[in-house]
Amino acid sequence: MSSEDDVTKLTATKRKWAAEGKFLTGRISRPDTERLPPGQHLVKNWPVLDLGQQPEISPLQWRLDIRGEVESPLTFTWDRFLALPQRDFLSDIHCVTTWSRYDNHWRGVSVRDLLDLVHPRPEADAVMLTSYDGYTTNLLLSDFASEEALLATHWEGEPLTAEHGGPMRLILPHLYFWKSAKWLTRIDFLRRDQPGFWEKNGYHMRGDPWAEERYSDD
Ligand SMILES: Nc1nc2c(c(=O)[nH]1)N[C@H]1C(S)=C(S)[C@@H](COP(=O)(O)O)O[C@H]1N2
Ligand SMILES: [Mo]
């Protein structure tokens, strides 16, 4: 567990990288022509990155609240969540700190299946994700609704460990990994995109790795 001081230091360092444009190569690429986005390198291990407050959530306490611009707001208990179709996914991870990891096998609930249940209103344009550690991150609904997006409970056949966001985290492979909220507990559907934690601290609102959308322009 790190202290509030460590979180402040980490945030300050990452703000500085954003201000300096650290890691930017200036290249633009496409997932269909280049699997590895510009400025990234491959790792075999799976690093742990977060604000240092890793919550332990028991299945009995766990909730997922769906609120905001939806026809059917819902609160999932763990049992109700596991009653949704469980699907298998294969995808790569691209972290803004320049590591990428290929061929991760996931199991979980497809975001598309969730959207079919809650019916986002036509006004809904974005989502804000909130996690048990207080972390927030924002997404356009068009990105959140990606076919590859999942609410993951398993990695490589095993339940997600607490340090990697267990019991459930988002996996959104086509954007930088800071968008993939660990310990997800709330999804708010919004009329307009709003910045989350890193987006308020110099990071890009969207975060496309192939366009190197690492930092905000201002
Ligand atoms: N709840 C929560 N989710 C989070 C974070 C966090 O601090 N809290 N960090 C993000 C960042 S910056 C990254 S790179 C990935 C890291 O996930 P990992 O630790 O499983 O590699 O989680 C993202 N999701
Ligand atoms: Mo990150």
Side-chain angles (χ1 to χ4, degrees):
M1 280 283 150
S2 55
S3 68
E4 261 174 53
D5 274 5
D6 293 330
V7 174
T8 310
K9 264 185 223 153
L10 172 75
T11 309
T13 304
K14 286 197 152 178
R15 282 178 80 119
K16 190 162 159 277
W17 291 356
E20 291 169 351
K22 194 173 158 101
F23 308 133
L24 288 177
T25 67
R27 286 200 300 120
I28 301 264
S29 147
R30 294 277 317 151
D32 42 327
T33 57
E34 236 177 321
R35 185 174 181 184
L36 191 66
Q40 297 293 112
H41 68 275
L42 282 178
V43 298
K44 294 273 182 230
N45 61 325
W46 184 8
V48 173
L49 280 100
D50 52 52
L51 298 173
Q53 317 291 325
Q54 298 179 348
E56 291 277 344
I57 311 119
S58 77
L60 272 179
Q61 297 171 304
W62 185 90
R63 294 289 184 278
L64 175 64
D65 288 316
I66 316 289
R67 295 289 183 272
E69 301 292 340
V70 289
E71 299 298 341
S72 319
L74 279 176
T75 296
F76 287 95
T77 59
W78 189 241
D79 286 352
R80 191 166 175 203
F81 182 71
L82 290 186
L84 298 174
Q86 306 291 309
R87 302 189 192 281
D88 292 304
F89 293 77
L90 176 64
S91 63
D92 300 343
I93 298 172
H94 305 294
C95 174
V96 72
T97 61
T98 75
W99 59 269
S100 292
R101 191 179 189 286
Y102 285 169
D103 292 327
N104 298 275
H105 296 83
W106 311 102
R107 193 168 172 77
V109 172
S110 158
V111 168
R112 293 269 179 100
D113 288 339
L114 182 85
L115 295 176
D116 286 345
L117 275 181
V118 302
H119 307 292
R121 296 203 179 110
E123 306 89 276
D125 199 43
V127 293
M128 182 65 76
L129 309 178
T130 304
S131 299
Y132 273 105
D133 60 341
Y135 184 79
T136 55
T137 190
N138 58 294
L139 295 167
L140 290 176
L141 184 50
S142 52
D143 283 319
F144 186 55
S146 141
E147 208 178 346
E148 290 189 290
L150 82 141
L151 304 171
T153 55
H154 288 73
W155 176 78
E156 303 302 329
E158 298 288 336
L160 264 185
T161 58
E163 60 177 8
H164 283 303
M168 189 278 272
R169 73 175 299 165
L170 180 71
I171 294 295
L172 192 65
H174 76 288
L175 298 180
Y176 282 123
F177 210 34
W178 89 77
K179 296 289 187 179
S180 292
K182 308 201 274 192
W183 314 295
L184 183 58
T185 185
R186 185 179 172 106
I187 305 171
D188 285 284
F189 287 73
L190 307 176
R191 285 167 185 251
R192 291 185 48 194
D193 199 15
Q194 304 282 331
F197 179 79
W198 285 120
E199 295 81 5
K200 283 183 197 153
N201 281 286
Y203 285 75
H204 200 277
M205 285 294 274
R206 177 146 189 265
D208 175 354
W210 287 270
E212 270 198 299
E213 291 175 342
R214 297 179 191 275
Y215 311 119
S216 69
D217 296 332
D218 42 66

